[in-house]
Amino acid sequence: MSSIDRLNDTKAAIRRAAEDCDRDPSGVILVCVTKTFPAEDVVPLLDAGHRVFGENRVQEAMSKWPALRARFPGIELHLIGPLQSNKTREAVETFDVIQSVDREKIAAALAEEMARQGKRPRLFIQINTGAEPQKAGVSPQEADAFITTCREKYGLEIAGLMCVPPVDEQAAPHFALLADIASRNGLRELSMGMSSDYELAIQLGATYVRVGSAIMGMRDYPPA
């Protein structure tokens, strides 16, 4: 099966999942995650008309996407991996959406860089719903205060929230927790759900789902 077939199957599954819970399928955006895949593997998806993609690393996106943008209009590129403060300038230049705002140092750097460049990517705050020490994200207990800090201290417009549930736990409670935090802070957008659980995420309110291997195939990670 080709990546185009898998893309079409994923879009059909998203549509069914939305309709099953009486949601408009157009309210769920598929972010195709292309980390570690070369540009030539992305071109067929662009030829097929898909335009929303996600990358984990700023450097990889910078090497891959400028040439693709020149060939294909209307691309929306999401940063879904951790953002280091020394990559803020490049991130603002490269991405249309940054989903991994997770600490005040990043909020301050983004506010400064967005003002300098006159460019305003949409921002999501990453919530570490499982309180995993090895994972990026604001703790659920600190989420409300951090959202307020981003808005009031740094003048950032926050579009929504993102989470990556622990791999060894049921995802539903984490998705429900993210939706609750978003609701009480007046945030509409929820980026949650990946290849194994995006249909469940849609049932619990996801407006963006991040699907990689179910479309692109298994990744061949370089050795550490």
Side-chain angles (χ1 to χ4, degrees), residues 170-198:
Q170 292 291 319
H174 296 274
F175 295 157
L177 174 59
L178 196 74
D180 181 60
I181 296 170
S183 176
R184 68 173 180 253
N185 285 281
L187 295 170
R188 293 184 58 254
E189 307 294 354
L190 291 170
S191 174
M192 58 190 196
M194 298 185 289
S195 290
S196 62
D197 55 22
Y198 65 87

Side-chain angles (χ1 to χ4, degrees), residues 97-101 121-127 143 146-147 150-151 156-163 178-179 181-183 185-192 207-208:
V97 183
I98 296 172
Q99 293 201 14
S100 48
V101 181
R122 299 175 72 227
L123 304 178
F124 285 59
I125 290 172
Q126 181 172 351
I127 307 297
F146 183 65
I147 292 166
C150 288
R151 287 168 164 169
L156 297 176
E157 184 175 339
I158 303 300
L161 304 179
M162 182 266 266
C163 76
L178 196 74
I181 296 170
S183 176
N185 285 281
L187 295 170
R188 293 184 58 254
E189 307 294 354
L190 291 170
S191 174
M192 58 190 196
T207 59
Y208 288 84

Side-chain angles (χ1 to χ4, degrees), residues 39-143:
E40 57 263 29
D41 288 353
V42 182
V43 168
L45 303 176
L46 288 160
D47 280 334
H50 193 70
R51 288 294 183 270
V52 186
F53 293 88
E55 293 282 346
N56 267 49
R57 301 171 68 88
V58 175
Q59 287 296 114
E60 181 181 351
M62 290 174 65
S63 69
K64 184 189 303 183
W65 285 95
L68 292 173
R69 284 189 190 273
R71 292 174 58 189
F72 298 95
I75 289 171
E76 180 177 285
L77 190 60
H78 293 236
L79 176 62
I80 60 173
L83 175 58
Q84 299 172 317
S85 57
N86 64 353
K87 298 294 184 187
T88 307
R89 176 178 61 81
E90 294 91 340
V92 172
E93 288 174 351
T94 304
F95 291 93
D96 305 291
V97 183
I98 296 172
Q99 293 201 14
S100 48
V101 181
D102 66 347
R103 58 198 186 279
E104 188 168 351
K105 183 177 182 180
I106 292 296
L110 283 169
E112 180 179 347
E113 198 56 48
M114 288 162 67
R116 190 183 73 81
Q117 293 188 32
K119 188 171 181 282
R120 299 190 70 82
R122 299 175 72 227
L123 304 178
F124 285 59
I125 290 172
Q126 181 172 351
I127 307 297
N128 186 348
T129 56
E132 297 175 276
Q134 80 281 9
K135 190 173 286 180
V138 181
S139 74
Q141 295 78 16
E142 297 172 345

Side-chain angles (χ1 to χ4, degrees), residues 26 36 44 102 136 154 162 181 205 215 217 222:
S26 68
T36 78
D102 66 347
Y154 297 105
M162 182 266 266
I181 296 170
I215 296 171

